Amino acid sequence: MDVIGKNIGNSLDKIYEDISAKASANGYQEIVIESFEGGTFSSVIWETEKVKIRLHTGVPTHAMPRIFGVALQHVRQRLDKYPTVQKTDSDVIGGSLVRDALRELVLAPEANGHLAHLDLDTEWEDEQRHQGLKQLIKDAPEEFRHIGEPGNAFASLLYARYCFDHPEAMWKQLKKQFADELPAAAENGESIAEIVSKNGWATPNDALNSLRLTREELNLAAYVAIEDRLKSELV
């Protein structure tokens, strides 16, 4: 299979076919794959009749199957009516980062679970995320240290996500640095990780419970709404 000029082999062929068929059954004529340059490895754009998956041009070929696979799983999640996170009428500076981090805390490991059997190469992605968080901790602004600030919520959510979504040996190195530099965020992160571990993400309702309870734990309701796609309502 060729995506944005990179031959990624055939490991994702079946998943791509299945999700394309599911998208078609839900009224989307095609899944379009495009290249882009931005701050994320991939993004998904939903249009009236098609779904666009954008893949970062800087991702090396050996790492692309994993990046593309995660993007496909995010398409599948929406089609399966997994919940997502939206802004409220009252937003705050940094609110977008918090909402993205909350969504990824639950939906990223759910996506990864559907790819685990393929044993895709994650080394490049893991190293990118590792160095990114290491630098973020080192350069953390003061608000990351104060409970109640969006920055602290963001850092707490990142901590919790890395508990689930980072190789254990690599996380062990960062975990101590996180606790030393941002103790309040690390403490909140441990509580959040426990909540998500208990409620999980195996079904849309499980994921909804994890998102809602995490939002409550961090008092984010003022600028974080959760869309229950099973009921087509914000909660």
Side-chain angles (χ1 to χ4, degrees), residues 12-19 72-73 114-115 117-118:
L12 292 171
D13 286 3
K14 181 64 164 58
I15 289 176
Y16 177 73
E17 291 170 6
D18 289 346
I19 294 176
L72 284 171
Q73 292 305 319
H114 285 260
L115 300 171
H117 68 286
L118 298 176

Side-chain angles (χ1 to χ4, degrees), residues 160 163-164 188-200 210 214:
C163 288
F164 299 112
N188 280 344
E190 287 286 349
S191 298
I192 295 165
E194 184 176 347
I195 289 170
V196 176
S197 179
K198 180 179 179 180
N199 291 275
S210 288
T214 298

Side-chain angles (χ1 to χ4, degrees), residues 2 28 42 63 82 136 138 196 216 230:
D2 185 273
Y28 298 96
S42 68
Y82 267 75
L136 182 67
K138 180 181 177 182
V196 176
E216 291 174 10
L230 290 173

Side-chain angles (χ1 to χ4, degrees), residues 30-217:
E30 59 180 335
I31 295 178
V32 177
I33 305 168
E34 299 179 342
S35 61
F36 86 118
E37 295 183 8
T40 61
F41 298 142
S42 68
S43 67
V44 179
I45 299 174
W46 295 82
E47 298 186 351
T48 304
E49 296 183 346
K50 61 186 175 182
V51 183
K52 285 185 180 179
I53 293 178
R54 302 195 304 167
L55 302 172
H56 199 293
T57 56
V59 176
T61 300
H62 68 88
M64 187 59 79
R66 158 76 177 183
I67 301 301
F68 181 43
V70 170
L72 284 171
Q73 292 305 319
H74 286 323
V75 173
R76 190 263 313 157
Q77 287 169 341
R78 175 159 171 165
L79 296 172
D80 285 348
K81 299 188 182 301
Y82 267 75
T84 192
V85 179
Q86 307 283 0
K87 68 178 181 179
T88 66
D89 291 337
S90 302
D91 204 358
V92 297
I93 296 175
S96 177
L97 288 175
V98 174
R99 289 188 292 271
D100 288 347
L102 175 58
R103 182 183 63 249
E104 291 301 304
L105 167 64
V106 177
L107 296 187
E110 196 280 340
N112 293 340
H114 285 260
L115 300 171
H117 68 286
L118 298 176
D119 197 27
L120 300 174
D121 186 344
T122 67
E123 184 176 354
W124 179 85
E125 181 184 359
D126 291 337
E127 184 60 28
Q128 297 298 308
R129 294 191 188 282
H130 186 83
Q131 294 303 325
L133 182 59
K134 184 177 181 180
Q135 193 65 42
L136 182 67
I137 296 169
K138 180 181 177 182
D139 297 336
E142 189 62 28
E143 69 165 304
F144 279 29
R145 296 174 168 81
H146 300 305
I147 294 175
E149 295 284 348
N152 179 264
F154 173 65
S156 301
L157 291 164
L158 284 184
Y159 181 102
R161 177 181 173 182
Y162 274 64
C163 288
F164 299 112
D165 208 24
H166 203 52
E168 185 175 353
M170 298 178 78
W171 174 228
K172 185 176 181 180
Q173 301 170 27
L174 282 179
K175 189 174 182 179
K176 184 178 187 304
Q177 180 187 356
F178 212 123
D180 289 343
E181 298 293 332
L182 301 170
E187 184 176 353
N188 280 344
E190 287 286 349
S191 298
I192 295 165
E194 184 176 347
I195 289 170
V196 176
S197 179
K198 180 179 179 180
N199 291 275
W201 47 70
T203 69
N205 277 325
D206 291 339
L208 181 66
N209 287 333
S210 288
L211 291 172
R212 291 177 66 174
L213 291 171
T214 298
R215 180 181 63 179
E216 291 174 10
E217 179 72 12

